[in-house]
């Protein structure tokens, strides 16, 4: 039975149900609160009607203590990165007092009851699905939000028991990454209340291990605030023979800097150069905003996840395959450049192409390949590119006017130097992106890897391909198929879900936050929408 259809009998029953006191008032010809609620509910949205159906039409906010408990609970939503003022908790108690005043008509009480219930349901939806509609700020968004329906009966019980923390906990994503982001938000806010951290002064040259410099004590203080325990021991606590100049950039501090670099996707070399100094100087308020933005992204995604799926972490340059047996395969990826962004989407891997050819996409042909061919026709032979007519007939490159080539097709033959490597993992999407192998293996050694034209290059993709075959009951051996040299498609016996998502902050396997550069400049628009007051 569809959810909406299933609630209709309850809604009708609630609209027709009157308490004994309400019935008495009705007999006297005076409209009761229950009458007015039932009348006004017909004009309300479905979830609000279903909420009152779960209560048999009873009002929810007659007791001052219940309203005060809700106001206090709404103030705690800042722990999830939401803005409590969006839900106007400071006006609830006064509005309740005014609605239930002796001279206040039942219509005012009904209006207050409905508005307060709507406030609670809105807060719960924001906790569960996010406040911001991702389609509004990202026209290319293709990830459906698959949060389950709110348990309205349980919410009604929580209202009666004044246990709003239970309702909030049931609504928010109940997964470890979300809880770690919440805990980190509290921690960074504590740092902000303590005055934040010191700024490193700009310097023309890098600070290198072993050097003496006046910046070193400041660097040590800066990392101590982040909780790097190894750098918090005081020099005076060490034996006299081990005391070093506090301006010495020693091994202990170098190790702390390397951990900092690793958690900010910087080159891990222990050198405090411009990029590391810039990351050290990001204000704590900015880090708090980053965490809030990514809590919102987590509310969009971290519901209804399948037991087994491939997760592409775009800004983190990582891929994980959560296998049916509970194991997790992890690797590095290369994603799209800032001007050729890898999209966020949700799809299913349906088949693999072994020993693929590569047909140059129109955008890459126009913007990348044609300028090179015009400078040097030999580029086609260097890259093993065939020139084809729209019908697939082979053309002589020397007979083509490369300034006006028309609808020619450039196709790279299969082989170890093919741009797609040996294997492509394909899934339906409107952006024509896919996961694939690459001959450019050296790029995987970089910490920041936004070098592709939108598709995702995967380190060790042949191993991932074999896992997909094994886990879906697909009788195929990647190594054998590759060695055969023939281009062919192999369909999986069962499609495997794949999610491409964008986080600029996310906990690593140890639970530590990793801050990533906002390579696609998406954080500011989301933050502005998150902080905007809701309509009405």
């Amino acid at each position: 039975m569809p959810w909406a259809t299933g609630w209709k009998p309850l809604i009708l029953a609630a609209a027709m149900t009157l308490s004994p006191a309400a019935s008495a008032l009705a007999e006297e010809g005076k409209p009761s609160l229950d009458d007015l609620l039932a009348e006004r509910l017909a004009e309300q949205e479905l979830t609000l009607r279903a909420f009152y159906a779960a209560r048999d039409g009873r009002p929810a906010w007659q007791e001052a203590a219940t309203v005060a408990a809700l106001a206090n609970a709404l103030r705690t939503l800042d722990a999830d990165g939401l803005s409590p003022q969006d839900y106007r908790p400071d006006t609830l108690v006064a509005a309740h007092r005014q609605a239930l005043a002796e001279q206040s008509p039942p219509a005012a009480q009904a209006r207050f009851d409905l508005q307060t219930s709507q406030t609670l349901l809105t807060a719960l939806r924001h906790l569960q699905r996010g406040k911001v509609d991702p389609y509004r700020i990202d026209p290319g968004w293709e990830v459906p939000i698959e949060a389950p329906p709110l348990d309205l009966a349980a919410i009604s019980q929580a209202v009666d028991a004044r246990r709003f923390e239970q309702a909030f906990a049931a609504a928010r994503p109940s997964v470890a990454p979300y809880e770690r982001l919440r805990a980190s938000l509290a921690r960074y806010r504590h740092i902000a209340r303590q005055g934040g951290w010191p700024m490193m002064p700009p310097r023309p040259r890098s600070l290198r291990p072993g050097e003496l410099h006046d910046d070193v004590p400041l660097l040590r203080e800066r990392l101590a605030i982040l909780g790097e325990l190894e750098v918090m021991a005081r020099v005076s606590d060490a034996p006299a023979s081990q005391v070093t100049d506090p301006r010495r950039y020693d091994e202990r501090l170098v190790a702390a800097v390397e951990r900092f670099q690793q958690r900010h996707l910087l080159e891990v070399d222990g050198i405090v150069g411009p990029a590391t100094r810039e990351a050290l100087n990001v204000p704590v308020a900015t880090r708090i905003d980053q965490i809030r933005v990514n809590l919102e992204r987590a509310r969009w995604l971290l519901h209804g996840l399948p037991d087994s799926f491939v997760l592409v972490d775009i800004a983190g340059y990582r891929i994980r395959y959560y296998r049916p047996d509970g194991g997790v395969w992890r690797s590095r990826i290369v994603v799209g450049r800032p001007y050729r962004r890898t999209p966020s989407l949700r799809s299913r891997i349906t088949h693999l192409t072994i020993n693929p050819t590569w047909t140059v996409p129109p955008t890459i042909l126009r913007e990348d390949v044609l300028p090179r061919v015009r400078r040097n026709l030999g580029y086609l032979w260097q890259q093993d590119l065939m020139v084809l007519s729209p019908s697939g007939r082979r053309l002589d490159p020397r007979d083509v006017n490369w300034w006006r080539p028309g609808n020619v097709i450039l196709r790279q033959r299969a082989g170890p130097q093919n741009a797609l490597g040996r294997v492509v993992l394909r899934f339906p999407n409107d952006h024509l992106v896919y996961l694939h192998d690459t001959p450019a293996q050296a790029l995987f050694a970089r910490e920041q890897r936004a070098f592709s034209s939108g598709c995702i290059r995967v380190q060790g993709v042949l191993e991932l391909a074999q896992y997909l075959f094994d886990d879906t009951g697909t009788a195929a051996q990647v190594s054998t198929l590759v060695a055969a040299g023939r281009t062919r498609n192999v369909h999986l016996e069962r499609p495997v879900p794949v999610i491409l998502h964008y986080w600029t902050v996310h906990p690593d396997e140890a639970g530590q936050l990793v801050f990533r550069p906002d390579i696609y400049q998406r954080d500011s628009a989301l933050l502005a929408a998150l902080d905007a007051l809701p309509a009405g």
Side-chain angles (χ1 to χ4, degrees):
M1 178 185 298
W3 184 85
T5 304
W7 278 112
K8 284 182 179 178
L10 291 175
I11 293 168
L12 293 172
M16 298 171 62
T17 300
L18 297 177
S19 66
S23 298
L25 285 171
E27 291 173 2
E28 297 174 7
K30 297 179 181 179
S32 70
L33 176 57
D34 286 18
D35 287 330
L36 291 166
L37 277 177
E39 178 183 332
R40 290 173 179 256
L41 272 171
E43 305 171 356
Q44 304 300 318
E45 54 104 2
L46 182 60
T47 305
L48 185 61
R49 286 183 279 155
F51 170 71
Y52 280 95
R55 299 182 58 77
D56 295 327
R58 292 181 297 115
W61 308 102
Q62 296 300 292
E63 299 294 331
T66 305
V67 176
L70 172 62
N72 289 332
L74 292 172
R75 294 186 185 99
T76 69
L77 292 177
D78 63 347
D80 290 89
L82 295 169
S83 300
Q85 60 266 29
D86 288 350
Y87 316 100
R88 300 177 175 87
D90 296 335
T91 66
L92 273 179
V93 175
H96 175 260
R97 191 181 301 115
Q98 182 177 358
L100 270 70
E102 288 186 8
Q103 302 301 319
S104 180
Q109 298 180 33
R111 184 167 53 252
F112 174 82
D113 212 272
L114 291 171
Q115 290 175 345
T116 305
S117 295
Q118 186 63 70
T119 295
L120 171 61
L121 293 174
T122 297
L124 290 171
R125 278 196 295 262
H126 288 176
L127 269 179
Q128 185 189 48
R129 304 171 61 90
K131 172 189 171 183
V132 179
D133 180 358
Y135 293 92
R136 182 163 62 86
I137 62 172
D138 183 1
W141 180 265
E142 286 188 25
V143 185
I145 298 176
E146 299 191 354
L150 292 170
D151 186 342
L152 297 173
I155 293 168
S156 175
Q157 293 170 7
V159 170
D160 292 338
R162 299 169 189 159
R163 293 179 178 174
F164 297 103
E165 70 282 355
Q166 288 186 358
F168 287 179
R172 66 171 61 97
S174 58
V175 291
Y178 189 84
E179 289 305 318
R180 288 168 180 165
L181 283 170
R182 290 183 78 237
S184 296
L185 179 60
R187 177 174 168 236
Y188 276 75
R189 281 178 167 158
H190 175 74
I191 292 173
R193 288 192 295 270
Q194 300 301 312
W197 45 62
M199 297 289 108
M200 302 290 295
R203 299 294 185 193
R205 58 183 297 273
S206 300
L207 176 62
R208 298 179 178 276
E211 291 183 345
L212 285 171
H213 201 284
D214 291 338
D215 286 353
V216 171
L218 194 63
L219 177 62
R220 185 175 287 109
E221 178 187 355
R222 168 70 175 83
L223 292 173
I225 289 173
L226 282 180
E228 297 285 359
L229 300 179
E230 292 82 357
V231 303
M232 293 180 69
R234 297 180 180 177
V235 173
S236 58
D237 294 338
S241 61
Q242 297 181 16
V243 173
T244 60
D245 190 323
R247 299 182 305 119
R248 173 78 62 189
Y249 186 27
D250 58 22
E251 293 181 1
R252 181 181 297 171
L253 189 53
V254 170
V257 167
E258 289 176 346
R259 285 190 296 276
F260 178 89
Q261 291 172 328
Q262 187 172 28
R263 290 203 284 265
H264 291 76
L265 291 193
L266 300 166
E267 297 299 324
V268 182
D269 55 13
I271 298 172
V272 184
T276 298
R277 194 176 291 266
E278 181 180 357
L280 287 164
N281 283 341
V282 172
V284 66
T286 300
R287 294 304 187 200
I288 288 170
D289 285 342
Q290 284 183 271
I291 297 170
R292 292 181 59 224
V293 161
N294 286 276
L295 277 164
E296 181 75 351
R297 289 184 175 125
R299 289 187 284 267
W300 293 342
L301 180 71
L302 298 181
H303 291 287
L305 295 178
D307 293 333
S308 176
F309 66 105
V310 173
L311 180 61
V312 174
D313 179 0
I314 299 169
Y317 309 108
R318 294 280 180 174
I319 185 172
R320 297 176 181 85
Y321 169 39
Y322 296 89
R323 303 184 64 194
D325 63 3
V328 182
W329 181 86
R330 300 177 176 87
S331 191
R332 294 184 162 212
I333 58 175
V334 172
V335 301
R337 299 178 181 93
Y339 57 90
R340 290 186 185 160
R341 301 176 177 183
T342 297
S344 296
L345 59 85
R346 190 166 187 158
S347 185
R348 300 191 304 166
I349 300 172
T350 56
H351 64 284
L352 283 65
T353 303
I354 309 296
N355 296 316
T357 60
W358 179 53
T359 300
V360 180
T363 300
I364 297 177
L365 176 63
R366 182 178 63 253
E367 298 180 4
D368 296 342
V369 176
L370 281 180
R372 293 171 180 167
V373 173
R374 288 164 183 160
R375 289 194 300 268
N376 176 19
L377 191 62
Y379 176 82
L380 295 170
W381 285 274
Q382 294 168 8
Q383 300 299 317
D384 200 16
L385 289 168
M386 298 181 292
V387 184
L388 307 174
S389 70
S391 64
R393 181 172 56 86
R394 185 82 176 266
L395 301 177
D396 187 331
R398 292 165 292 191
D399 295 336
V400 176
N401 179 357
W402 291 103
W403 293 98
R404 293 183 179 179
N407 294 324
V408 298
I409 297 169
L410 298 187
R411 182 169 296 154
Q412 191 178 42
R413 279 182 280 256
Q417 297 307 310
N418 184 279
L420 304 183
R422 295 295 200 177
V423 175
V424 178
L425 281 58
R426 300 192 185 274
F427 42 92
N429 65 90
D430 292 337
H431 301 274
L432 303 179
V433 298
Y434 35 79
L435 302 167
H436 66 89
D437 188 18
T438 175
Q441 295 290 313
L443 292 178
F444 291 120
R446 303 282 293 274
E447 291 301 320
Q448 297 182 29
R449 299 182 292 277
F451 300 114
S452 84
S453 294
C455 290
I456 303 99
R457 308 174 193 173
V458 182
Q459 186 177 37
V461 70
L462 272 67
E463 183 179 25
L464 172 59
Q466 190 60 58
Y467 281 141
L468 293 176
F469 285 155
D470 294 344
D471 294 345
T472 59
T474 305
Q477 289 293 322
V478 174
S479 57
T480 301
L481 293 171
V482 168
R486 184 165 66 91
T487 300
R488 60 174 296 182
N489 290 323
V490 180
H491 287 262
L492 297 178
E493 291 294 326
R494 296 188 304 275
V496 175
V498 59
I499 299 172
L500 281 60
H501 200 49
Y502 185 86
W503 287 279
T504 52
V505 182
H506 200 262
D508 62 15
E509 282 75 18
Q512 296 288 336
L513 286 195
V514 178
F515 290 90
R516 295 87 171 267
D518 182 15
I519 53 175
Y520 296 161
Q521 299 299 303
R522 289 176 173 167
D523 280 3
S524 58
L526 177 50
L527 180 63
L530 193 60
D531 285 341
L533 288 174

